[in-house]
Amino acid sequence: MSIRLHNNLTRCVEEFSPLDPGRVTMYVCGPTVYHHVHIGNARPYVVFGLLARLLRRVYGAEHVVYARNVTDVDDKINAAALAAGVPIDAITGRYTAAFREDMQKLGADVPDVEPHATAHIAEIIAMCEKLIANGHAYAVEGHVLFDVTSCPQYGQLSRRSVEDMIAGARVEVAPYKKNPADFVLWKPSTSELPGWESPWGRGRPGWHIECSAMAAAHLGATIDIHAGGNDLMFPHHENEIAQSTCANRRQFARYWLHNGMLTFDGRKMSKSLGNVLQLHELLRRHPPEVLRYLLLRAHYRQPLDWSDETLKQARATLDGWYGVLRDLADVEAADGDVPASIEAALCDDLNTPQAFAELAKLADEARRAVSTAEKRNAKATLLAGGELLGLLREDPERWFRGGEKVEESEIESLLDQRRAARTARDFKRADEIRDRLAAMGIAIEDGPQGTRWKVVER
Ligand code: AMP
Ligand code: ZN
């Protein structure tokens, strides 16, 4: 099945055709590890992780190289380390581990390589030297700056002219710059800041050159797909293109993909606005599949508004699908492959809303299945569709019981007491027990097969 992707270079949906189908390459800008990530930060890693999954399925896992870097040297990290009175690697080590744990819980696909900027200082310095030698950069007062006037295609991704950038004040004015739009490749470090020896004195890299150097080191001069949030399009991705193209004299990334922003109360979720919901906190309160479903529910290019209401709806949708699987618990699933309708939806520029509509249809079919053969096939297809989307991987009974966290023995004991009270026709006592369970966030449902319970809130 061929994949079609919206390429932001052309602003069109195009047929994806890798340069070498034997080595399909994708680079996704990774986190800056100075804090816990928020749920918005997770969107690119869940979305483009799903793309990596699809590429691995279509081209074979051994033919795909997915790189997601870790930005472990940055002024925000320096500020956090100074504030805590510890070296930067104490901060970056802690938050890299926390990030990996959060991603694993969300089912975000693991990259093939996870390069760290601090492990690529030699490549960064070499790239700066090459750019200076090629006439695209200049050294001044311990800085190395990229000369934007040397790069005629500068602005091609974000479709801005250098004049627009200056007029929009999106650039930092500094006395040592030839042009206000020139950006930093290398900057000097004072003795209390992390730094590395370089031809321009002790210093540290700028953020943009880190990604250019890591992408080239692990994927080559030209890569197939480069992705990240659309807030990175300018200046970060524009600058990556300028650096890589001018240093390597080849096209840098052939397809540029950007996810829309996750908003909260209508505004972009971001640390600087102070409206963040930390992912590790959300993971404590909600099943990871609910969060994953919500992150994928909107098309990746659209904005995605987060609210308690959407969380409730997501939970209800998954409860519906898990309910079907619970009713089929005694049916052994047949051997099933991924449903073509779901794969086709994903191949159409990662159309996850369509993929979920198809999954809902499969759940309906499974609900309506009558014969054992129908049930076995329907269960298999539903599970296989869920698997591709990273959902429906839990045991249905456990899902409704809220995973391991609920003290099942306590609930069972209360249900026994309620049964005994009802047998003794002590309905007041039975109702009291029901209320007590409700206060614990447990809803019960009396049916022909006895009393079932589920966690409604945790
Ligand atoms: P940062 O660590 O700030 O560089 O962000 C890591 C990734 O999260 C980048 O790809 C950003 O584009 C992305 N990102 C940041 N905020 C949001 C948001 N509110 N919604 C979606 N993606 C975001
Ligand atoms: Zn980057």
Side-chain angles (χ1 to χ4, degrees):
M1 211 177 273
S2 65
I3 301 178
R4 287 158 53 78
L5 297 173
H6 182 271
N7 185 355
N8 249 338
L9 267 184
T10 57
R11 306 283 200 271
C12 287
V13 176
E14 296 172 13
E15 175 106 15
F16 173 65
S17 154
L19 210 52
D20 171 8
R23 192 169 188 269
V24 182
T25 51
M26 174 163 81
Y27 185 94
V28 177
C29 292
T32 306
V33 282
Y34 68 105
H35 208 281
H36 285 290
V37 292
H38 59 70
I39 184 72
N41 294 133
R43 193 177 190 195
Y45 310 125
V46 168
V47 162
F48 300 120
L50 183 60
L51 178 57
R53 186 179 297 200
L54 189 65
L55 292 170
R56 287 168 178 158
R57 197 178 149 72
V58 172
Y59 294 94
E62 67 281 21
H63 298 301
V64 175
V65 194
Y66 164 30
R68 185 186 71 201
N69 74 288
V70 172
T71 299
D72 61 349
V73 50
D74 178 272
D75 288 348
K76 290 186 214 126
I77 298 173
N78 299 340
L82 270 179
V86 294
I88 60 164
D89 52 5
I91 298 285
T92 57
R94 174 172 172 205
Y95 290 111
T96 304
F99 172 73
R100 287 197 191 118
E101 194 183 321
D102 287 351
M103 290 304 113
Q104 193 256 334
K105 286 186 184 154
L106 268 189
D109 299 68
V110 179
D112 299 291
V113 272
E114 196 187 43
H116 286 55
T118 51
H120 294 79
I121 300 295
E123 288 92 335
I124 292 170
I125 292 176
M127 199 174 234
C128 291
E129 287 179 313
K130 210 166 174 184
L131 287 167
I132 294 174
N134 288 347
H136 292 290
Y138 54 95
V140 55
E141 295 176 26
H143 294 76
V144 179
L145 290 146
F146 188 91
D147 176 358
V148 294
T149 60
S150 75
C151 180
Q153 67 275 46
Y154 189 65
Q156 68 175 95
L157 177 68
S158 54
R159 303 199 172 174
R160 297 160 196 252
S161 67
V162 172
E163 292 71 37
D164 288 347
M165 293 169 199
I166 296 168
R170 298 289 303 266
V171 294
E172 191 195 340
V173 181
Y176 46 79
K177 286 185 179 182
K178 283 193 203 162
N179 184 314
D182 293 351
F183 58 88
V184 165
L185 304 177
W186 187 265
K187 53 189 161 189
S189 288
T190 52
S191 57
E192 72 274 15
L193 287 174
W196 290 262
E197 288 311 322
S198 81
W200 317 286
R202 188 171 170 279
R204 60 196 194 281
W207 171 35
H208 318 302
I209 191 100
E210 295 174 7
C211 282
S212 281
M214 288 186 274
H218 294 275
L219 305 179
T222 300
I223 65 179
D224 288 310
I225 300 171
H226 194 312
N230 66 13
D231 57 334
L232 300 187
M233 196 168 355
F234 181 82
H236 185 54
H237 290 162
E238 200 67 76
N239 293 355
E240 280 189 46
I241 295 178
Q243 296 157 164
S244 298
T245 320
C246 294
N248 301 323
R249 301 192 187 278
R250 306 243 182 93
Q251 182 179 17
F252 175 40
R254 303 172 58 242
Y255 298 83
W256 279 91
L257 271 62
H258 291 102
N259 64 273
M261 290 295 102
L262 186 144
T263 58
F264 188 51
D265 291 336
R267 293 184 311 162
K268 175 189 169 187
M269 185 177 284
S270 86
K271 284 183 205 110
S272 54
L273 288 177
N275 63 344
V276 300
L277 295 171
Q278 288 188 352
L279 177 55
H280 76 120
E281 290 287 344
L282 287 171
L283 281 165
R284 227 175 269 154
R285 285 187 280 124
H286 305 280
E289 286 194 7
V290 167
L291 305 180
R292 181 177 172 89
Y293 169 73
L294 255 183
L295 286 171
L296 291 171
R297 203 183 60 145
H299 188 259
Y300 75 92
R301 284 195 278 126
Q302 300 302 319
L304 168 61
D305 196 42
W306 197 267
S307 69
D308 285 346
E309 196 45 45
T310 53
L311 265 168
K312 269 192 211 138
Q313 286 165 6
R315 170 87 211 208
T317 302
L318 281 161
D319 278 354
W321 295 339
Y322 271 109
V324 174
L325 289 173
R326 182 167 65 177
D327 291 342
L328 294 174
D330 297 335
V331 175
E332 198 191 328
D335 292 333
D337 199 8
V338 166
S341 59
I342 294 191
E343 189 169 0
L346 295 183
C347 285
D348 178 18
D349 193 29
L350 278 189
N351 191 342
T352 49
Q354 181 62 29
F356 288 135
E358 298 298 339
L359 196 68
K361 275 191 219 159
L362 295 175
D364 278 343
E365 279 165 27
R367 199 177 283 121
R368 287 198 306 265
V370 181
S371 72
T372 307
E374 274 174 359
K375 286 182 179 173
R376 291 187 62 213
N377 287 328
K379 180 173 176 179
T381 324
L382 178 59
L383 285 174
E387 179 74 29
L388 182 61
L389 294 161
L391 299 175
L392 306 183
R393 290 174 308 168
E394 285 198 34
D395 173 72
E397 281 302 330
R398 268 195 56 196
W399 172 265
F400 286 108
R401 290 174 187 202
E404 306 287 1
K405 290 171 197 156
V406 178
E407 294 297 332
E408 289 191 20
S409 54
E410 191 184 348
I411 296 163
E412 293 297 350
S413 144
L414 284 168
L415 285 178
D416 280 344
Q417 291 173 40
R418 180 171 171 268
R419 227 170 278 128
R422 278 158 65 105
T423 310
R425 304 190 68 76
D426 184 353
F427 296 114
K428 188 166 168 277
R429 167 91 185 120
D431 285 347
E432 274 169 17
I433 296 172
R434 175 192 281 266
D435 291 346
R436 187 157 155 209
L437 284 162
M440 289 162 64
I442 306 296
I444 56 177
E445 200 185 307
D446 296 312
Q449 292 134 330
T451 304
R452 279 175 164 181
W453 59 268
K454 68 176 184 179
V455 179
V456 286
E457 205 181 274
R458 51 178 186 172

